Amino acid sequence: WFIHFYVVSVVWNGSLLYWLFRAEFLGESLPSWIQDMHRALGRDSQSEDMGNEYFSALLVLLLLWLHSCRRLAECLWTSVFSDGFIHIVQYFYGLGFYIAVGSTVLCQVPTNVRNGKEVSVQIHWYHIIGITMYIWASLHQHRCLVILAKLRKNKSGKVVRLGYDVPFGDWFESVSCPHYFAELLIYVSMAIMLGFHNVTWLCVVMCVLFNQALAAVLSHEFYQKNFRSYPKHRKAFIPHVL
């Protein structure tokens, strides 16, 4: 069922990325339905020029789409899911989140993106730091998901069980759910790319923080309850903190 989240995200956020790219680099207007969404969310189409924030929004939307593509690929070819079910509230929350998060980025850009001016593409220090952190967190998240998948496969790569076992390696040596921690870092990296002054995106980061922290704590308690020899030095979510 998690596959549905990323299919929706790839299609929806990919479409938003396509329209924003055409508006920013080809000088076209955003589609009328996007302009209507801007107005419904209180975004003034005549907002003054925000300079390089246009490029920041495009960059974040691109990395959000790439993140969704990678997670979709991992759901299809890497992860081995248990035979459990997802709660219907969590299911619709996930669908709504990936639709809202891309719209949040796009609504930071005025409807009339270029307004007859030349496009401003300037790489700043926060873009470099954000991209570096994004790549670092994404690599570790993928490694941790591979470690989890291998727990349910034999040496030839065939799935032989759907139960749970204690994972070791990479960030698992410090926390029980490093893939959740990496997810938070990915969204923090996007906040950095937006220059840290996008209050709306900081709300997105807080949403991811509480969501992933709750899931991590529940998983941590499950490990401790079901595995007597579970490493006592491991935290649930953030190394040495939580």
Side-chain angles (χ1 to χ4, degrees):
W1 292 98
F2 277 89
I3 293 175
H4 297 183
F5 299 159
Y6 302 114
V7 169
V8 168
S9 183
V10 168
V11 174
W12 172 254
N13 293 315
S15 299
L16 297 183
L17 176 64
Y18 170 79
W19 290 114
L20 182 57
F21 179 86
R22 293 185 67 88
E24 188 164 339
F25 289 97
L26 302 181
E28 298 182 1
S29 298
L30 292 172
S32 58
W33 62 271
I34 292 182
Q35 297 184 35
D36 292 338
M37 181 177 67
H38 273 70
R39 283 188 285 270
L41 295 174
R43 182 52 156 156
D44 184 3
S45 62
Q46 301 301 321
S47 295
E48 61 182 18
D49 180 37
M50 298 168 64
N52 201 54
E53 289 189 18
Y54 299 147
F55 176 67
S56 297
L58 182 67
L59 183 61
V60 169
L61 199 54
L62 171 62
L63 294 183
L64 179 64
W65 180 74
L66 290 175
H67 174 61
S68 300
C69 289
R70 177 179 63 82
R71 291 295 293 118
L72 176 60
E74 288 168 342
C75 284
L76 292 173
W77 298 299
T78 301
S79 298
V80 180
F81 295 102
S82 68
D83 53 359
F85 291 93
I86 188 173
H87 195 283
I88 189 171
V89 174
Q90 186 181 7
Y91 176 74
F92 284 107
Y93 169 83
L95 293 178
F97 175 82
Y98 283 104
I99 292 176
V101 72
S103 305
T104 299
V105 178
L106 192 63
C107 286
Q108 304 307 306
V109 179
T111 305
N112 192 353
V113 177
R114 289 179 58 177
N115 198 25
K117 300 179 182 179
E118 293 184 0
V119 63
S120 174
V121 179
Q122 297 179 354
I123 303 295
H124 290 275
W125 62 269
Y126 50 84
H127 293 145
I128 297 175
I129 294 176
I131 292 175
T132 301
M133 184 175 179
Y134 173 89
I135 295 174
W136 176 64
S138 297
L139 287 174
H140 279 284
Q141 187 178 57
H142 177 72
R143 290 173 184 172
C144 292
L145 291 172
V146 169
I147 290 173
L148 287 175
K150 286 183 177 180
L151 294 177
R152 294 174 172 173
K153 298 178 180 179
N154 57 21
K155 294 183 178 180
S156 62
K158 182 179 179 181
V159 177
V160 293
R161 60 195 297 266
L162 295 179
Y164 296 89
D165 205 345
V166 179
F168 291 93
D170 204 76
W171 286 357
F172 279 109
E173 300 302 321
S174 300
V175 292
S176 297
C177 301
H179 47 307
Y180 295 157
F181 178 53
E183 184 81 2
L184 173 63
L185 293 181
I186 288 171
Y187 281 88
V188 170
S189 72
M190 295 178 188
I192 295 174
M193 281 180 268
L194 289 170
F196 270 125
H197 52 258
N198 189 317
V199 177
T200 310
W201 191 262
L202 292 179
C203 292
V204 172
V205 173
M206 293 303 295
C207 178
V208 173
L209 168 62
F210 290 122
N211 179 274
Q212 299 297 299
L214 175 60
V217 169
L218 293 175
S219 297
H220 184 66
E221 292 176 349
F222 173 85
Y223 280 125
Q224 291 179 320
K225 180 180 179 180
N226 290 275
F227 299 97
R228 293 183 178 180
S229 60
Y230 192 73
K232 294 182 179 181
H233 68 276
R234 288 189 190 180
K235 296 295 184 179
F237 184 47
I238 302 176
H240 310 295
V241 178
L242 174 63

